[in-house]
Amino acid sequence: MRKHSVFDRFALVAATATVAAHANGRADGFRQKDVRFLMELFCNWIESFSRSEQVLIQNTQVLRYLKELEQDGLLRLMRTSRTPLYRLTRTGLIELVSRASNTATESPAQFFFLYYFISSYRPKIFDLVKAEGKQFPYALELELEGLLDSKALLDREIKNAERKLREMDLRVSDGQKAAQLTTESIAKKVPYAEIVKKWEKLYPYGLNSHKPLSELFAEISPDIANWEIETGNIKRVENMWKPIRSLHARYLETLRQLSTKT
C-alpha cells in the first residue's frame, strides 16, 4: 500500500480508527468523516501530554487512505450517491488488526493505547470478523487469536523496555567511567588527544562507526573539545542519561505492574 506522511506518522491510529468506524457503523457502512473523527480522537488520547495543539486530519488524506484500502481489496464501497459508505472486508479487518498489533510503538502513550484497544475490543473484533463471512476456519481463528493476544503484546513490550533500560545503564556506566578516566589522565598531565583515543577504544560513542571520536574532536575548536572532555561528558550523564534512564525504569515498572493484573 502506498503511504503518505500523515499516515506514516499515524499508521496505528489510522488502522484502529478504521476498524472502530467499521464496528460502530450501521449495516450499510461507515462514512469518511467517521474515520476522520476517530483518528483525531485517538490522536488526542495519545498525544494530549506531548502536544499542545490539536492534531487535525485532512478529509483528502482520509479519502486517499480509504481509496487505497479499496484498491487493495480491504474495503468495499457500499454506496456512491450522496455520502459514500464503506465496509471493511474480512481480509481488511484482519489486515488492519495486524498492522495495529505489529506496530512498533514509539512512545509509552502509543503502546498503552494499543494495549487498551487490543485488550478491550478483542471480543468485538472476533465478532466482526466472523460476521464478514459464512465460515470461520480454525486457521483463521488461530491467526486472529495471535493478533489479539494482549498478554503477548505486553510481554513483548516488557522485553523491549528491558533492552532499552540495559542500553541506558551501559550509556550511564560508560559516561561515568570515561569521566573517571579523564580525571585521572588530566592529573597525570596526559595530552587531551591521548584521552580521546582512550575514550574511542574503551567507550565508543553511538556514531563511532560513521565518524571516529578522534576525527570528530579534530574537527571542533580546541576550547569546545576541552570542555567536552572535562565537563560535557559528565553533564550529559547527570542531566540527560540518568534522567532518561529513570523514565525507562519507571515505564518498565508500570508495564510489570500491568502484567500482574492481566
Side-chain angles (χ1 to χ4, degrees):
M1 180 177 180
R2 296 157 296 283
K3 292 190 176 182
H4 309 282
S5 58
V6 68
F7 290 102
D8 285 343
R9 179 181 171 195
F10 299 121
L12 170 61
V13 168
T16 51
T18 307
V19 171
H22 177 92
N24 295 336
R26 298 159 295 180
D28 53 351
F30 60 88
R31 300 164 296 178
Q32 172 189 327
K33 71 176 186 178
D34 298 327
V35 176
R36 177 184 173 180
F37 172 77
L38 288 168
M39 284 190 68
E40 291 179 349
L41 176 65
F42 293 170
C43 284
N44 175 266
W45 290 353
I46 294 171
E47 305 206 352
S48 59
F49 295 104
S50 60
R51 294 178 179 273
S52 57
E53 74 275 12
Q54 180 183 358
V55 175
L56 297 177
I57 308 298
Q58 301 299 318
N59 285 325
T60 53
Q61 294 169 321
V62 177
L63 179 60
R64 191 179 302 123
Y65 178 72
L66 294 177
K67 282 185 177 295
E68 291 180 2
L69 291 178
E70 182 185 3
Q71 290 168 5
D72 292 339
L74 307 178
L75 188 74
R76 294 193 303 270
L77 180 59
M78 306 298 292
R79 189 178 75 195
T80 57
S81 60
R82 294 182 296 173
T83 302
L85 293 173
Y86 305 90
R87 280 190 69 81
L88 288 168
T89 63
R90 172 179 276 185
T91 302
L93 273 166
I94 295 172
E95 172 63 21
L96 292 188
V97 170
S98 176
R99 291 181 191 179
S101 179
N102 292 306
T103 295
T105 52
E106 298 178 355
S107 69
Q110 277 193 1
F111 173 76
F112 288 129
F113 167 77
L114 175 58
Y115 179 78
Y116 152 78
F117 188 88
I118 294 295
S119 60
S120 299
Y121 298 116
R122 180 182 179 279
K124 179 64 175 178
I125 292 172
F126 257 94
D127 290 343
L128 291 172
V129 173
K130 287 180 181 179
E132 291 301 319
K134 293 182 179 180
Q135 297 182 344
F136 191 55
Y138 184 61
L140 181 60
E141 183 178 353
L142 288 179
E143 179 183 0
L144 201 55
E145 285 277 4
L147 293 174
L148 297 173
D149 188 340
S150 58
K151 184 180 184 305
L153 182 72
L154 184 56
D155 289 343
R156 185 178 70 197
E157 185 66 6
I158 288 173
K159 289 181 179 179
N160 288 337
E162 289 172 340
R163 174 182 53 78
K164 290 177 182 178
L165 187 60
R166 288 194 298 270
E167 291 172 355
M168 290 310 305
D169 284 338
L170 180 61
R171 180 162 280 183
V172 169
S173 175
D174 280 357
Q176 291 172 329
K177 290 176 182 177
Q180 180 63 29
L181 182 151
T182 300
T183 300
E184 294 172 355
S185 297
I186 290 176
K188 296 176 182 178
K189 301 188 182 303
V190 175
Y192 281 12
E194 292 299 319
I195 297 175
V196 171
K197 288 182 180 179
K198 289 183 179 180
W199 277 16
E200 188 174 78
K201 180 180 179 180
L202 298 173
Y203 315 113
Y205 78 120
L207 299 181
N208 200 70
S209 60
H210 297 281
K211 179 173 289 190
L213 195 61
S214 54
E215 181 182 336
L216 174 62
F217 270 79
E219 293 177 355
I220 60 180
S221 61
D223 60 322
I224 294 178
N226 293 347
W227 182 87
E228 284 290 338
I229 293 170
E230 296 174 4
T231 307
N233 170 63
I234 196 61
K235 276 189 172 291
R236 278 189 294 278
V237 171
E238 297 299 326
N239 297 340
M240 288 183 62
W241 309 143
K242 281 187 176 181
I244 293 172
R245 191 242 175 236
S246 295
L247 291 175
H248 280 300
R250 178 55 183 159
Y251 178 50
L252 178 56
E253 180 185 352
T254 301
L255 291 172
R256 286 171 173 166
Q257 289 174 349
L258 185 60
S259 181
T260 63
K261 299 176 182 178
T262 58

